[in-house]
Amino acid sequence: MAYMRLGDLLTSVGLITPEQLQHALDVQKGNHKRLGAVLIEEGIISERQLIETLEMQLGIDFIDLGKVQIPMELAHLLPKTIAKRHSVVPVRLVKDELVLAMADPLNFVAIEDVRAATRKRVIPNIASAVAVDRAIAALYGSEGATRAIEEMKGESGMQEIAATGETVEEDVQAAPTVRLVNSIIERAVAEHASDIHLEPRNGELIVRMRIDGMLRVVLTVPRELQNQVISRLKVMGGMDIAERRLPQDGRAAVRVRGNDIDLRLATLPTIYGEKVAVRLFNKSAQLLTPEALGLSGDNLARYQALLANANGMVLIVGPTGSGKSSTMYTMIRTLNSEEVNLITLEDPVEYDIDGVNQVQINEKNGMTFANGLRAVLRQDPDIIAVGEIRDGETAEIAMRSAMTGHLVLSTVHTSDAVSAIDRLIDIGVEPYLIAEALNGVISQRLVRRICPDCREAYEPTEAEMATMHIAPKPGIKFYRGCGCANCYHTGYRGRTAVFEIMMLDRDAKQAINAGSHRKGITDMLSRARYSTLMENAAELVLAGETTSAEVVRVLNSTIE
């Protein structure tokens, strides 16, 4: 393959202009990324355009890593450090020819490094950057886990387990149990998983990860090694490894791929042993903007109007895993300034925000939300963020705080915005307090996004349009993902939020104070100040952000 710089190739075929190339090169000087990655991030070209151009102009084959089973022995042939450094993964070996999947097949330094390390003739294939990263995590994570399992089988007794706070990277000197657990955590971070589940079954320990809201099996550990793996996690979380009959909670801090990760661990005794759930919080992740959350149009205007109030309460509601914390942190960052005293009460503190006074709740030591809120009120706050309202005492203190000149943000677990009012009444808050203090409620759910690399349009059936509460019209298009390497052939990649923002006007407040039920309150809400989850979801479906099937799956319990 003759050497040609990527920028020259793309300009020669007319895909980019010289001015766009110069802009990308200027950006590249600042971030030192590969030119192809910069062009994609800047929106100058798509990854699909880049791949197709390299295929046609250079005769480089495209390889769909989602449909390829990579032999595990190739992990021994090419060191993990080289694969990660150059974003390449070995795919197959035929005699002395090694097929290499590359995000950038014009990276001749990478090809030479692989050739020197393997002493094989390298045949470059192009693959998407996301698919390559996933393949690296899967190949070397599985290989490391398998090697650790084999070593654990050959040893007897419990392993000596190190303390918490270490860097989670492959360490050939570490005990096999440590390396196995580290490989599981590193794989979860690489896959952007929110949770890890280690589940004892009859004869094996199943490891599943929640990726884009869906659980996926990634590893199976033999039953005889179960206690060693569980004990390692319990020691990391500061739990009692001798106690196996009662549930325990713990936490750990690790560093993975340069990211600070907080782990929340919880054990649960089952008939086959202890189940462990691990929730991952990436403290290095960038906080989102309102637009990145999925807010737009009328909902964005309502959101901004709620935050413009100097006092009153704003509630964020939804089930566990609906993105409430992300929304609250986005609101906190928006409101944070040198002119205000902003104090939060959190359990746990997920992100460290400069300039915000963040308080960790510790109910075992008596630092409850209610006690913490009383203490906060003596600190001359302007804005108070209460992580969660769990009882009537906390709710009443928060409501009275909102009535006395403070802006209060909090969350409640309810199915939709109007249900938040019923929930507050159920836990003992007087209707007049709710009517006086509550400015609005933000209800939300997370739906999977259609993968942008395999999205296609189609004409929906009348039944589909009826499900979305959309009137049948000629020419309406819905969208779906047909499946590709970038999305594990699921048709989805990433998630966005569906919102229902209810702003309480005078009529709605009077209805609450009068004790009206759900329908009475809803009827009082003007359409300019309220739209349902389903109405926002329908907008996302028409915009090609998500599918009707995904909306039905997520909002099924709220469809009326």
Side-chain angles (χ1 to χ4, degrees):
M1 182 172 62
Y3 177 75
M4 178 179 287
R5 292 187 300 181
L6 179 61
D8 294 337
L9 173 62
L10 296 178
T11 52
S12 68
V13 299
L15 191 58
I16 64 173
T17 65
E19 292 76 19
Q20 289 173 324
L21 173 59
Q22 187 58 51
H23 170 73
L25 291 172
D26 292 340
V27 173
Q28 186 187 30
K29 290 178 183 178
N31 59 26
H32 306 291
K33 294 183 179 180
R34 302 292 300 179
L35 179 60
V38 173
L39 289 167
I40 293 169
E41 290 177 3
E42 292 294 306
I44 297 173
I45 61 173
S46 68
E47 188 173 41
R48 172 53 57 187
Q49 287 175 313
L50 176 60
I51 290 173
E52 289 177 349
T53 300
L54 293 175
E55 276 189 282
M56 290 186 296
Q57 299 299 318
L58 301 179
I60 300 175
D61 291 333
F62 170 75
I63 186 166
D64 187 344
L65 292 174
K67 296 180 178 179
V68 176
Q69 187 69 35
I70 302 177
M72 196 170 296
E73 56 266 22
L74 291 183
H76 300 285
L77 180 65
L78 181 66
K80 180 181 179 181
T81 53
I82 294 178
K84 292 179 67 175
R85 185 192 312 141
H86 295 301
S87 189
V88 300
V89 64
V91 176
R92 62 178 174 270
L93 179 64
V94 181
K95 295 182 180 179
D96 66 337
E97 291 187 344
L98 177 65
V99 176
L100 188 71
M102 311 177 66
D104 181 5
L106 292 178
N107 185 350
F108 292 94
V109 174
I111 293 173
E112 288 301 320
D113 281 357
V114 173
R115 181 183 292 122
T118 62
R119 297 183 180 180
K120 305 294 182 185
R121 180 168 174 261
V122 176
I123 308 298
N125 279 199
I126 189 170
S128 72
V130 173
V132 170
D133 287 343
R134 284 176 170 171
I136 292 172
L139 175 62
Y140 292 96
S142 298
E143 187 272 339
T146 302
R147 187 171 65 244
I149 289 172
E150 291 303 318
E151 292 180 20
M152 290 167 66
K153 286 180 178 179
E155 298 179 3
S156 58
M158 294 294 295
Q159 299 291 337
E160 188 68 26
I161 301 175
T164 104
E166 72 273 21
T167 298
V168 175
E169 299 288 354
E170 187 175 9
D171 182 358
V172 295
Q173 302 300 321
T177 306
V178 175
R179 286 192 281 112
L180 175 57
V181 172
N182 285 357
S183 70
I184 292 171
I185 296 172
E186 189 177 359
R187 172 81 179 272
V189 173
E191 298 281 7
H192 303 291
S194 60
D195 302 86
I196 307 170
H197 293 260
L198 295 95
E199 304 172 337
R201 304 283 175 86
N202 186 12
E204 58 190 6
L205 177 70
I206 301 296
V207 180
R208 297 198 291 171
M209 296 180 185
R210 189 175 296 280
I211 302 169
D212 288 342
M214 309 295 285
L215 283 170
R216 182 178 297 130
V217 176
V218 297
L219 185 66
T220 300
V221 179
R223 175 67 182 273
E224 61 267 24
L225 307 179
Q226 173 180 313
N227 288 340
Q228 296 182 47
V229 174
I230 300 302
S231 294
R232 163 61 180 165
L233 285 165
K234 290 171 71 175
V235 170
M236 287 181 68
M239 294 180 271
D240 183 358
I241 63 173
E243 178 58 74
R244 301 180 180 178
R245 296 171 298 176
L246 296 174
Q248 297 186 68
D249 295 321
R251 60 183 297 176
V254 296
R255 190 168 180 82
V256 186
R257 297 184 168 195
N259 295 314
D260 292 316
I261 308 295
D262 270 358
L263 307 178
R264 304 288 188 270
L265 302 95
T267 67
L268 180 70
T270 73
I271 59 173
Y272 294 120
E274 289 179 286
K275 177 189 183 300
V276 180
V278 183
R279 174 150 286 191
L280 294 86
F281 297 97
N282 188 346
K283 299 187 75 172
S284 303
Q286 294 292 319
L287 294 176
L288 299 174
T289 63
E291 292 80 6
L293 287 174
L295 286 162
S296 62
D298 291 340
N299 276 339
L300 179 59
R302 295 182 187 115
Y303 169 90
Q304 293 169 336
L306 287 175
L307 293 193
N309 290 298
N311 54 56
M313 173 175 274
V314 178
L315 285 177
I316 309 166
V317 305
T320 300
S322 59
K324 298 189 300 296
S325 295
S326 295
T327 299
M328 175 169 279
Y329 275 110
T330 302
M331 297 170 80
I332 290 170
R333 190 177 73 165
T334 301
L335 294 168
N336 183 30
S337 70
E338 292 184 356
E339 289 76 29
V340 299
N341 179 17
L342 200 164
I343 304 177
T344 72
L345 297 169
E346 304 176 58
D347 186 20
V349 175
E350 296 179 21
Y351 298 99
D352 184 8
I353 306 176
D354 186 42
V356 176
N357 302 288
Q358 297 175 268
V359 180
Q360 172 69 54
I361 294 298
N362 190 335
E363 294 190 354
K364 292 181 180 178
N365 295 334
M367 185 61 169
T368 63
F369 278 112
N371 291 338
L373 191 48
R374 291 191 183 94
V376 166
L377 290 172
R378 296 191 290 271
Q379 295 293 319
D380 183 33
D382 296 296
I383 304 169
I384 306 169
V386 183
E388 182 182 348
I389 289 179
R390 299 173 179 171
D391 55 71
E393 182 182 17
T394 304
E396 184 168 337
I397 298 171
M399 290 286 177
R400 293 189 183 278
S401 302
M403 293 169 59
T404 54
H406 307 94
L407 179 62
V408 180
L409 315 174
S410 191
T411 71
V412 178
H413 286 87
T414 63
S415 60
D416 59 18
V418 181
S419 297
I421 296 168
D422 295 335
R423 172 63 177 158
L424 291 172
I425 293 173
D426 287 343
I427 61 177
V429 183
E430 294 294 335
Y432 80 90
L433 278 178
I434 302 172
E436 184 68 24
L438 190 62
N439 290 338
V441 183
I442 301 174
S443 176
Q444 65 182 83
R445 297 288 191 281
L446 291 178
V447 295
R448 289 179 294 171
R449 287 181 182 270
I450 300 173
C451 174
D453 295 307
C454 61
R455 184 177 67 174
E456 63 177 15
Y458 70 97
E459 292 187 7
T461 64
E462 290 190 8
E464 278 185 284
M465 287 187 280
T467 301
M468 292 292 98
H469 299 179
I470 296 173
K473 293 180 182 178
I476 286 183
K477 298 289 185 183
F478 282 10
Y479 299 83
R480 61 193 169 202
C482 54
C484 67
N486 287 350
C487 61
Y488 285 122
H489 294 275
T490 62
Y492 298 98
R493 195 171 88 209
R495 291 192 290 178
T496 189
V498 178
F499 288 97
E500 174 181 273
I501 299 183
M502 178 179 73
M503 299 176 66
L504 296 180
D505 52 23
R506 181 174 300 178
D507 291 339
K509 287 177 177 286
Q510 288 177 349
I512 294 170
N513 198 19
S516 296
H517 293 293
R518 177 189 180 91
K519 188 176 185 306
I521 297 171
T522 305
D523 289 344
M524 290 292 180
L525 293 167
S526 67
R527 303 313 294 165
R529 303 173 71 83
Y530 176 68
S531 61
T532 67
L533 285 166
M534 180 55 73
E535 288 170 343
N536 185 214
E539 293 174 2
L540 294 182
V541 169
L542 292 173
E545 290 287 323
T546 191
T547 66
S548 59
E550 176 68 359
V551 169
V552 171
R553 183 186 71 83
V554 173
L555 300 187
N556 189 47
S557 61
T558 61
I559 294 175
E560 297 181 354

